[in-house]
Amino acid sequence: MRFVNDIKKYFDYMVYAAKAELKSEISNSYLDWLWWILEPFCFMLIYVIIFAGVFKATEQYFPIFIFSGNTMWTFFSKCISGSVKIIKDNETTITKVYIPKFILLLSDMLVNGYKMCISFGIVAAMLIFFRVPITWNVILIIPIIMILFLFTFGLGCVVMHAGVFVADLSYIVAILLNMLMFFTGIFYSMDRFPVPFDRILSTANPVAFLMISMRKVLMYSQSPDFKLLLVWFVISVLLCWCGVKTIYKNENNYVKVM
């Protein structure tokens, strides 16, 4: 109940901070908000040229395959990497007024979530351009994104807490994210791994599993593994609970450490 009440109480601040961050990113840019479209689109073109042209990738609808995967990974990686120093970066604010520290993380997730929505708008246009058959499975995007958001928030809370006490954590997280990126299947199908590693990597890695599920419902008119979706939903909720509880328990110590 405390968590719910804090969300209600600081919701306006959370949205205001997210809007301010988005405006500051494009304040000195000639192309303004177009960068939020151009950046992921250009990366998609580079990946398509390299992996389809050089490494001869054969995945169906490969540009959409790449773009949808990279969109989800970018949201996850930016939220996690940003959570490491988010308390220290907002030291001026939290030392003057009380604010639940996870509100800072949620605000940052709104910023990255907004950009992810723009990228999925491009994905929708690509689905039409490539004439990809759309079925009722497309509505399953909602629970898939919800689980991704919950898992990212839970893990972000844990990393945010540890980042206050471990000065080098940002370097460790950066290395781990770079390693994880190549085992998430952004540029290739997980079926390329030999049995049973393909199954292990595509189920034990939640980002890879959610990425595969997203591609199934968007591009291939298939249903995801509902049992595994439920498992990762439960794990994500528990991770959120542990993360928020840890922050509530230790947030008074953050100011002392800083």
Side-chain angles (χ1 to χ4, degrees):
M1 288 303 299
R2 181 184 176 185
F3 174 76
V4 174
N5 290 333
D6 281 341
I7 292 291
K8 292 179 180 179
K9 183 177 180 180
Y10 294 95
F11 180 79
D12 290 340
Y13 170 80
M14 187 168 59
V15 174
Y16 173 81
K19 289 181 178 179
E21 177 64 23
L22 287 169
K23 289 180 180 179
S24 67
E25 285 188 12
I26 59 174
S27 59
N28 296 318
S29 173
Y30 288 107
L31 295 179
D32 209 50
W33 55 270
L34 286 175
W35 276 116
W36 299 334
I37 297 176
L38 288 175
E39 183 181 8
F41 189 77
C42 289
F43 275 115
M44 183 269 292
L45 289 178
I46 294 171
Y47 294 146
V48 168
I49 292 171
I50 293 176
F51 288 93
V54 179
F55 295 102
K56 307 300 181 183
T58 58
E59 283 76 9
Q60 190 178 17
Y61 308 121
F62 192 63
I64 307 176
F65 183 95
I66 286 279
F67 199 87
S68 59
N70 189 57
T71 295
M72 297 179 70
W73 173 257
T74 299
F75 169 79
F76 172 77
S77 62
K78 284 190 174 182
C79 289
I80 298 303
S81 60
S83 66
V84 180
K85 293 184 177 181
I86 198 167
I87 292 181
K88 292 183 178 180
D89 290 344
N90 290 271
E91 180 179 356
T92 304
T93 301
I94 64 177
T95 53
K96 292 181 179 179
V97 295
Y98 171 76
I99 181 174
K101 308 308 176 287
F102 58 80
I103 295 294
L104 302 172
L105 174 60
L106 284 174
S107 179
D108 186 57
M109 291 180 67
L110 287 180
V111 172
N112 293 310
Y114 180 78
K115 296 177 183 178
M116 181 172 63
C117 289
I118 293 177
S119 293
F120 270 115
I122 301 175
V123 171
M126 294 173 70
L127 291 172
I128 296 173
F129 179 80
F130 287 99
R131 298 181 180 180
V132 180
I134 303 297
T135 65
W136 67 269
N137 286 318
V138 74
I139 65 175
L140 296 174
I141 291 175
I142 298 174
I144 292 172
I145 293 297
M146 182 184 68
I147 296 172
L148 176 64
F149 193 92
L150 287 174
F151 180 80
T152 303
F153 174 69
L155 182 60
C157 285
V158 175
V159 173
M160 180 175 62
H161 165 73
V164 178
F165 303 97
V166 183
D168 297 336
L169 186 62
S170 59
Y171 301 106
I172 299 173
V173 169
I175 293 172
L176 291 177
L177 285 174
N178 283 330
M179 293 174 58
L180 184 63
M181 180 181 68
F182 291 102
F183 291 98
T184 303
I186 301 173
F187 322 110
Y188 55 83
S189 173
M190 301 299 282
D191 296 335
R192 291 173 178 253
F193 285 97
V195 179
F197 297 106
D198 58 339
R199 179 65 178 172
I200 294 173
L201 291 173
S202 61
T203 56
N205 179 352
V207 184
F209 169 69
L210 294 173
M211 199 176 291
I212 293 170
S213 300
M214 177 66 72
R215 287 165 174 163
K216 282 183 177 180
V217 302
L218 269 182
M219 301 161 50
Y220 306 128
S221 302
Q222 299 175 4
S223 298
D225 187 333
F226 289 106
K227 291 183 179 179
L228 200 54
L229 270 180
L230 180 60
V231 169
W232 277 114
F233 171 74
V234 173
I235 292 174
S236 299
V237 171
L238 291 175
L239 190 60
C240 290
W241 180 80
C242 292
V244 171
K245 186 177 180 180
T246 300
I247 291 173
Y248 275 138
K249 184 178 180 180
N250 296 276
E251 61 182 354
N252 290 331
N253 297 324
Y254 295 157
V255 178
K256 299 177 183 178
V257 173
M258 292 186 296

PDB file of all heavy atoms in Angstrom, residues 53-72:
ATOM      1  N   GLY A  53      23.955  -8.979 -45.346  1.00  0.00           N
ATOM      2  CA  GLY A  53      24.859  -8.947 -46.490  1.00  0.00           C
ATOM      3  C   GLY A  53      26.139  -9.709 -46.276  1.00  0.00           C
ATOM      4  O   GLY A  53      26.585 -10.464 -47.148  1.00  0.00           O
ATOM      5  N   VAL A  54      26.742  -9.547 -45.098  1.00  0.00           N
ATOM      6  CA  VAL A  54      28.045 -10.170 -44.831  1.00  0.00           C
ATOM      7  C   VAL A  54      27.896 -11.573 -44.269  1.00  0.00           C
ATOM      8  O   VAL A  54      28.524 -12.527 -44.744  1.00  0.00           O
ATOM      9  CB  VAL A  54      28.880  -9.293 -43.869  1.00  0.00           C
ATOM     10  CG1 VAL A  54      30.217  -9.962 -43.579  1.00  0.00           C
ATOM     11  CG2 VAL A  54      29.087  -7.895 -44.462  1.00  0.00           C
ATOM     12  N   PHE A  55      27.042 -11.712 -43.226  1.00  0.00           N
ATOM     13  CA  PHE A  55      26.900 -13.014 -42.568  1.00  0.00           C
ATOM     14  C   PHE A  55      25.744 -13.854 -43.118  1.00  0.00           C
ATOM     15  O   PHE A  55      25.459 -14.931 -42.596  1.00  0.00           O
ATOM     16  CB  PHE A  55      26.718 -12.810 -41.064  1.00  0.00           C
ATOM     17  CG  PHE A  55      27.928 -12.215 -40.401  1.00  0.00           C
ATOM     18  CD1 PHE A  55      27.969 -10.875 -40.065  1.00  0.00           C
ATOM     19  CD2 PHE A  55      29.035 -13.000 -40.121  1.00  0.00           C
ATOM     20  CE1 PHE A  55      29.086 -10.319 -39.447  1.00  0.00           C
ATOM     21  CE2 PHE A  55      30.155 -12.461 -39.513  1.00  0.00           C
ATOM     22  CZ  PHE A  55      30.186 -11.115 -39.177  1.00  0.00           C
ATOM     23  N   LYS A  56      25.070 -13.337 -44.145  1.00  0.00           N
ATOM     24  CA  LYS A  56      24.036 -14.092 -44.859  1.00  0.00           C
ATOM     25  C   LYS A  56      22.918 -14.591 -43.934  1.00  0.00           C
ATOM     26  O   LYS A  56      22.561 -15.775 -43.935  1.00  0.00           O
ATOM     27  CB  LYS A  56      24.655 -15.289 -45.594  1.00  0.00           C
ATOM     28  CG  LYS A  56      25.821 -14.939 -46.502  1.00  0.00           C
ATOM     29  CD  LYS A  56      25.414 -13.965 -47.594  1.00  0.00           C
ATOM     30  CE  LYS A  56      26.588 -13.631 -48.511  1.00  0.00           C
ATOM     31  NZ  LYS A  56      26.230 -12.632 -49.547  1.00  0.00           N
ATOM     32  N   ALA A  57      22.380 -13.699 -43.127  1.00  0.00           N
ATOM     33  CA  ALA A  57      21.260 -14.061 -42.256  1.00  0.00           C
ATOM     34  C   ALA A  57      20.032 -14.387 -43.104  1.00  0.00           C
ATOM     35  O   ALA A  57      19.764 -13.719 -44.109  1.00  0.00           O
ATOM     36  CB  ALA A  57      20.943 -12.920 -41.306  1.00  0.00           C
ATOM     37  N   THR A  58      19.302 -15.418 -42.716  1.00  0.00           N
ATOM     38  CA  THR A  58      18.170 -15.889 -43.521  1.00  0.00           C
ATOM     39  C   THR A  58      16.838 -15.758 -42.797  1.00  0.00           C
ATOM     40  O   THR A  58      15.832 -16.286 -43.266  1.00  0.00           O
ATOM     41  CB  THR A  58      18.390 -17.357 -43.910  1.00  0.00           C
ATOM     42  OG1 THR A  58      18.542 -18.147 -42.713  1.00  0.00           O
ATOM     43  CG2 THR A  58      19.628 -17.514 -44.771  1.00  0.00           C
ATOM     44  N   GLU A  59      16.802 -15.079 -41.653  1.00  0.00           N
ATOM     45  CA  GLU A  59      15.553 -14.933 -40.913  1.00  0.00           C
ATOM     46  C   GLU A  59      14.526 -14.171 -41.749  1.00  0.00           C
ATOM     47  O   GLU A  59      14.855 -13.184 -42.419  1.00  0.00           O
ATOM     48  CB  GLU A  59      15.784 -14.193 -39.587  1.00  0.00           C
ATOM     49  CG  GLU A  59      16.413 -15.029 -38.495  1.00  0.00           C
ATOM     50  CD  GLU A  59      17.907 -15.241 -38.701  1.00  0.00           C
ATOM     51  OE1 GLU A  59      18.477 -14.595 -39.613  1.00  0.00           O
ATOM     52  OE2 GLU A  59      18.497 -16.061 -37.968  1.00  0.00           O
ATOM     53  N   GLN A  60      13.285 -14.630 -41.702  1.00  0.00           N
ATOM     54  CA  GLN A  60      12.222 -13.987 -42.474  1.00  0.00           C
ATOM     55  C   GLN A  60      11.955 -12.579 -41.953  1.00  0.00           C
ATOM     56  O   GLN A  60      12.006 -12.339 -40.761  1.00  0.00           O
ATOM     57  CB  GLN A  60      10.946 -14.833 -42.370  1.00  0.00           C
ATOM     58  CG  GLN A  60       9.843 -14.401 -43.325  1.00  0.00           C
ATOM     59  CD  GLN A  60       8.623 -15.290 -43.213  1.00  0.00           C
ATOM     60  OE1 GLN A  60       8.463 -16.028 -42.232  1.00  0.00           O
ATOM     61  NE2 GLN A  60       7.752 -15.233 -44.212  1.00  0.00           N
ATOM     62  N   TYR A  61      11.655 -11.657 -42.866  1.00  0.00           N
ATOM     63  CA  TYR A  61      11.403 -10.248 -42.525  1.00  0.00           C
ATOM     64  C   TYR A  61      12.551  -9.698 -41.669  1.00  0.00           C
ATOM     65  O   TYR A  61      12.340  -9.128 -40.595  1.00  0.00           O
ATOM     66  CB  TYR A  61      10.077 -10.085 -41.782  1.00  0.00           C
ATOM     67  CG  TYR A  61       8.894 -10.718 -42.463  1.00  0.00           C
ATOM     68  CD1 TYR A  61       8.143 -11.706 -41.814  1.00  0.00           C
ATOM     69  CD2 TYR A  61       8.513 -10.335 -43.737  1.00  0.00           C
ATOM     70  CE1 TYR A  61       7.046 -12.291 -42.433  1.00  0.00           C
ATOM     71  CE2 TYR A  61       7.417 -10.915 -44.366  1.00  0.00           C
ATOM     72  CZ  TYR A  61       6.691 -11.894 -43.708  1.00  0.00           C
ATOM     73  OH  TYR A  61       5.610 -12.455 -44.329  1.00  0.00           O
ATOM     74  N   PHE A  62      13.762  -9.886 -42.152  1.00  0.00           N
ATOM     75  CA  PHE A  62      14.943  -9.590 -41.343  1.00  0.00           C
ATOM     76  C   PHE A  62      15.006  -8.148 -40.833  1.00  0.00           C
ATOM     77  O   PHE A  62      15.396  -7.921 -39.681  1.00  0.00           O
ATOM     78  CB  PHE A  62      16.216  -9.930 -42.119  1.00  0.00           C
ATOM     79  CG  PHE A  62      17.451  -9.930 -41.266  1.00  0.00           C
ATOM     80  CD1 PHE A  62      17.594 -10.830 -40.217  1.00  0.00           C
ATOM     81  CD2 PHE A  62      18.471  -9.029 -41.493  1.00  0.00           C
ATOM     82  CE1 PHE A  62      18.724 -10.829 -39.424  1.00  0.00           C
ATOM     83  CE2 PHE A  62      19.610  -9.016 -40.707  1.00  0.00           C
ATOM     84  CZ  PHE A  62      19.740  -9.926 -39.674  1.00  0.00           C
ATOM     85  N   PRO A  63      14.661  -7.110 -41.630  1.00  0.00           N
ATOM     86  CA  PRO A  63      14.680  -5.744 -41.083  1.00  0.00           C
ATOM     87  C   PRO A  63      13.767  -5.582 -39.867  1.00  0.00           C
ATOM     88  O   PRO A  63      14.147  -4.928 -38.888  1.00  0.00           O
ATOM     89  CB  PRO A  63      14.199  -4.888 -42.259  1.00  0.00           C
ATOM     90  CG  PRO A  63      14.569  -5.680 -43.472  1.00  0.00           C
ATOM     91  CD  PRO A  63      14.366  -7.111 -43.072  1.00  0.00           C
ATOM     92  N   ILE A  64      12.576  -6.183 -39.919  1.00  0.00           N
ATOM     93  CA  ILE A  64      11.669  -6.113 -38.761  1.00  0.00           C
ATOM     94  C   ILE A  64      12.226  -6.941 -37.613  1.00  0.00           C
ATOM     95  O   ILE A  64      12.124  -6.562 -36.442  1.00  0.00           O
ATOM     96  CB  ILE A  64      10.262  -6.609 -39.142  1.00  0.00           C
ATOM     97  CG1 ILE A  64       9.747  -5.875 -40.372  1.00  0.00           C
ATOM     98  CG2 ILE A  64       9.294  -6.422 -37.977  1.00  0.00           C
ATOM     99  CD1 ILE A  64       8.408  -6.376 -40.875  1.00  0.00           C
ATOM    100  N   PHE A  65      12.809  -8.078 -37.952  1.00  0.00           N
ATOM    101  CA  PHE A  65      13.439  -8.950 -36.956  1.00  0.00           C
ATOM    102  C   PHE A  65      14.476  -8.170 -36.154  1.00  0.00           C
ATOM    103  O   PHE A  65      14.493  -8.208 -34.917  1.00  0.00           O
ATOM    104  CB  PHE A  65      14.074 -10.136 -37.678  1.00  0.00           C
ATOM    105  CG  PHE A  65      14.706 -11.163 -36.781  1.00  0.00           C
ATOM    106  CD1 PHE A  65      14.002 -12.276 -36.389  1.00  0.00           C
ATOM    107  CD2 PHE A  65      16.019 -11.022 -36.342  1.00  0.00           C
ATOM    108  CE1 PHE A  65      14.587 -13.238 -35.565  1.00  0.00           C
ATOM    109  CE2 PHE A  65      16.606 -11.966 -35.524  1.00  0.00           C
ATOM    110  CZ  PHE A  65      15.893 -13.079 -35.132  1.00  0.00           C
ATOM    111  N   ILE A  66      15.351  -7.464 -36.869  1.00  0.00           N
ATOM    112  CA  ILE A  66      16.397  -6.678 -36.227  1.00  0.00           C
ATOM    113  C   ILE A  66      15.814  -5.514 -35.439  1.00  0.00           C
ATOM    114  O   ILE A  66      16.166  -5.276 -34.275  1.00  0.00           O
ATOM    115  CB  ILE A  66      17.383  -6.137 -37.279  1.00  0.00           C
ATOM    116  CG1 ILE A  66      18.283  -7.257 -37.805  1.00  0.00           C
ATOM    117  CG2 ILE A  66      18.245  -5.011 -36.705  1.00  0.00           C
ATOM    118  CD1 ILE A  66      19.445  -7.607 -36.935  1.00  0.00           C
ATOM    119  N   PHE A  67      14.918  -4.767 -36.060  1.00  0.00           N
ATOM    120  CA  PHE A  67      14.431  -3.526 -35.459  1.00  0.00           C
ATOM    121  C   PHE A  67      13.629  -3.786 -34.188  1.00  0.00           C
ATOM    122  O   PHE A  67      13.796  -3.079 -33.188  1.00  0.00           O
ATOM    123  CB  PHE A  67      13.569  -2.759 -36.470  1.00  0.00           C
ATOM    124  CG  PHE A  67      13.402  -1.305 -36.141  1.00  0.00           C
ATOM    125  CD1 PHE A  67      14.332  -0.370 -36.568  1.00  0.00           C
ATOM    126  CD2 PHE A  67      12.327  -0.857 -35.385  1.00  0.00           C
ATOM    127  CE1 PHE A  67      14.197   0.971 -36.258  1.00  0.00           C
ATOM    128  CE2 PHE A  67      12.182   0.474 -35.071  1.00  0.00           C
ATOM    129  CZ  PHE A  67      13.119   1.396 -35.512  1.00  0.00           C
ATOM    130  N   SER A  68      12.756  -4.786 -34.210  1.00  0.00           N
ATOM    131  CA  SER A  68      11.948  -5.093 -33.019  1.00  0.00           C
ATOM    132  C   SER A  68      12.831  -5.564 -31.875  1.00  0.00           C
ATOM    133  O   SER A  68      12.638  -5.168 -30.717  1.00  0.00           O
ATOM    134  CB  SER A  68      10.897  -6.158 -33.350  1.00  0.00           C
ATOM    135  OG  SER A  68      11.515  -7.355 -33.809  1.00  0.00           O
ATOM    136  N   GLY A  69      13.824  -6.396 -32.183  1.00  0.00           N
ATOM    137  CA  GLY A  69      14.728  -6.883 -31.142  1.00  0.00           C
ATOM    138  C   GLY A  69      15.585  -5.776 -30.565  1.00  0.00           C
ATOM    139  O   GLY A  69      15.735  -5.670 -29.343  1.00  0.00           O
ATOM    140  N   ASN A  70      16.116  -4.937 -31.435  1.00  0.00           N
ATOM    141  CA  ASN A  70      16.967  -3.846 -30.970  1.00  0.00           C
ATOM    142  C   ASN A  70      16.176  -2.833 -30.146  1.00  0.00           C
ATOM    143  O   ASN A  70      16.707  -2.233 -29.199  1.00  0.00           O
ATOM    144  CB  ASN A  70      17.626  -3.153 -32.159  1.00  0.00           C
ATOM    145  CG  ASN A  70      18.682  -2.150 -31.745  1.00  0.00           C
ATOM    146  OD1 ASN A  70      19.638  -2.487 -31.060  1.00  0.00           O
ATOM    147  ND2 ASN A  70      18.507  -0.902 -32.141  1.00  0.00           N
ATOM    148  N   THR A  71      14.900  -2.636 -30.489  1.00  0.00           N
ATOM    149  CA  THR A  71      14.047  -1.707 -29.742  1.00  0.00           C
ATOM    150  C   THR A  71      13.861  -2.167 -28.302  1.00  0.00           C
ATOM    151  O   THR A  71      13.998  -1.381 -27.354  1.00  0.00           O
ATOM    152  CB  THR A  71      12.674  -1.581 -30.426  1.00  0.00           C
ATOM    153  OG1 THR A  71      12.843  -0.969 -31.712  1.00  0.00           O
ATOM    154  CG2 THR A  71      11.722  -0.736 -29.595  1.00  0.00           C
ATOM    155  N   MET A  72      13.582  -3.442 -28.117  1.00  0.00           N
ATOM    156  CA  MET A  72      13.395  -3.975 -26.771  1.00  0.00           C
ATOM    157  C   MET A  72      14.701  -3.970 -25.995  1.00  0.00           C
ATOM    158  O   MET A  72      14.723  -3.638 -24.806  1.00  0.00           O
ATOM    159  CB  MET A  72      12.814  -5.396 -26.855  1.00  0.00           C
ATOM    160  CG  MET A  72      11.438  -5.458 -27.490  1.00  0.00           C
ATOM    161  SD  MET A  72      10.789  -7.143 -27.604  1.00  0.00           S
ATOM    162  CE  MET A  72      10.468  -7.517 -25.878  1.00  0.00           C
TER     163      MET A  72
END
